[in-house]
Amino acid sequence: MGDDSDIDRLVARKLQQLRTERGLTLTQLAELTGISVAHLSRLERGERQPSIGSLLQLARTYGISIGKLVADQPDEDYHLVRAGQGVAHENAEGRYEVLSGPRATIAVVGLELPPGTETGAVHHTGEEWLHVRAGAVALLLGDEEISLKAGDSIQFDSGRTHRLHNTSARTARVLIASTASAVHHPVSGSEHP
């Protein structure tokens, strides 16, 4: 496996390729995703590492799995990720590791959120399931705050604005599974709601 800069360049190249293939301008993509034009531009140039929220929103907008954005895997009937071999990224939000395959209809990500850290607020089509493996987090779901500790799970409509905040004194480890129906992908040729 290459180093983090190789992965960052791969992701940047794929983001630019997907936008170009679909004939979108940065402005049009910004309108579809809710991500600023300046931030999208920096992501495509590899000057910024995308957050998990940005990756999920871009993957949904393009109608592909998050794994397709971050992994250059051959086409197989299955996708195996051995312990410690998932595609990992670190940014200001924490460390996350993509565990799902490139053609998966569900994105599975392991998130390590340092104490006191908060993810960015996101919303997207589909559903999301969270399972706290270690530590404690607060899920801010719309105007509601839901406390979750190790062993707790929650499933919700990911169209509601949501973010996580680590409320414990140690790194929180959260498993996130997220999916969207193809009809919710405005760039894939389908109608969107």
Side-chain angles (χ1 to χ4, degrees):
M1 180 184 280
D3 65 17
D4 288 343
S5 63
D6 290 341
I7 295 168
D8 294 342
R9 282 192 295 277
L10 174 68
V11 172
R13 212 171 28 249
K14 284 187 178 186
L15 289 174
Q16 185 177 39
Q17 177 187 6
L18 285 165
R19 183 178 58 79
T20 303
E21 286 173 357
R22 285 158 173 81
L24 293 170
T25 65
L26 284 170
T27 302
Q28 291 168 324
L29 184 58
E31 290 172 6
L32 291 169
T33 61
I35 302 169
S36 76
V37 171
H39 190 66
L40 287 169
S41 178
R42 286 190 291 269
L43 292 176
E44 286 187 5
R45 290 192 312 263
E47 295 173 2
R48 291 271 194 267
Q49 289 185 331
S51 68
I52 185 62
S54 295
L55 283 174
L56 287 169
Q57 188 61 21
L58 286 162
R60 281 188 184 78
T61 299
Y62 288 132
I64 63 173
S65 71
I66 194 170
K68 192 133 186 125
L69 284 176
V70 299
D72 194 15
Q73 301 289 329
D75 290 343
E76 299 284 344
D77 289 343
Y78 61 89
H79 181 76
L80 174 65
V81 178
R82 299 276 186 202
Q85 294 183 347
V87 177
H89 295 277
E90 290 194 42
N91 62 25
E93 293 179 358
R95 180 183 188 277
Y96 57 95
E97 182 177 18
V98 179
L99 303 172
S100 52
R103 295 182 314 275
T105 56
I106 185 167
V108 181
V109 175
L111 173 65
E112 292 181 6
L113 199 59
T117 305
E118 186 171 287
T119 65
V122 295
H123 62 90
H124 43 82
T125 60
E127 293 181 74
E128 195 152 308
W129 173 84
L130 304 174
H131 175 76
V132 181
R133 297 172 61 203
V137 296
L139 170 65
L140 303 157
L141 186 59
D143 294 332
E144 188 174 358
E145 182 174 317
I146 303 164
S147 295
L148 302 167
K149 62 182 186 215
D152 291 344
S153 299
I154 187 168
Q155 183 175 352
F156 57 93
D157 176 351
S158 55
R160 294 179 64 189
T161 300
H162 56 281
R163 68 179 188 264
L164 288 174
H165 176 78
N166 182 347
T167 57
S168 66
R170 64 183 232 192
T171 297
R173 292 185 12 238
V174 181
L175 187 61
I176 303 168
S178 184
T179 187
S181 165
V183 299
H184 294 278
H185 298 299
V187 183
S188 66
S190 305
E191 291 292 319
H192 66 311

